[in-house]
Amino acid sequence: MHIDRIDHIVLTVRDIEATCKFYERVLGMQVVTFERGRKALAFGQQKFNLHEVGKEFEPKADRPAAGSADFCLITSVPIARVVDHLRACSVQLLDGPVQRTGASGPILSVYFRDPDLNLIEVSNHLAAP
């Protein structure tokens, strides 16, 4: 088997509406509605499907919990502009800009949290040394 890319990840959240507003405003994701009124956050060729705590869809993670995610998103927007945007959105930075190692090489990252306290890392690819 060979995996090409991620299609979607499920985020378990306390308030789907608040989550949609945050990800749309702060990260520019598109809120989409699909089968039976479910909500997702679309970006690029991926999406985050949203499950509300206690109302998850089957099958689901063994122990779904709000605030348990930690993920990195890549942007072509320069990190300095990302920082300015986050500040304009009143989002508190936890760390960064700081250099890390991503899936395909060095990245420059900033860290912050969403309404459920999931850890979000937004990064730029850096030229390999």
Side-chain angles (χ1 to χ4, degrees):
M1 182 185 306
H2 176 78
I3 303 299
D4 294 323
R5 66 180 177 89
I6 292 173
D7 181 81
H8 71 277
I9 292 175
V10 174
L11 291 180
T12 302
V13 302
R14 287 187 274 288
D15 183 331
I16 288 179
E17 184 178 331
T19 298
C20 288
K21 286 179 181 177
F22 177 87
Y23 280 82
E24 189 172 46
R25 178 178 59 92
V26 175
L27 293 169
M29 293 184 182
Q30 179 183 3
V31 176
V32 295
T33 303
F34 63 110
E35 60 188 43
R36 298 185 313 255
R38 292 179 61 189
K39 297 289 184 187
L41 303 161
F43 58 101
Q45 295 180 8
Q46 299 79 221
K47 65 179 181 165
F48 292 150
N49 287 350
L50 302 177
H51 286 190
E52 187 177 337
V53 172
K55 298 179 183 177
E56 298 88 358
F57 291 89
E58 294 292 344
K60 64 181 184 298
D62 187 51
R63 291 182 210 97
S68 62
D70 176 345
F71 52 87
C72 178
L73 303 168
I74 300 295
T75 183
S76 59
V77 174
I79 284 296
R81 286 186 41 211
V82 169
V83 169
D84 290 345
H85 174 71
L86 292 172
R87 288 186 177 138
C89 291
S90 299
V91 173
Q92 180 183 0
L93 288 179
L94 299 174
D95 197 10
V98 61
Q99 189 168 337
R100 299 286 192 237
T101 302
S104 60
I107 55 177
L108 186 63
S109 303
V110 292
Y111 294 83
F112 56 96
R113 296 195 185 276
D114 75 2
D116 287 293
L117 304 179
N118 291 305
L119 182 63
I120 303 171
E121 178 181 357
V122 174
S123 307
N124 290 153
H125 284 291
L126 296 174

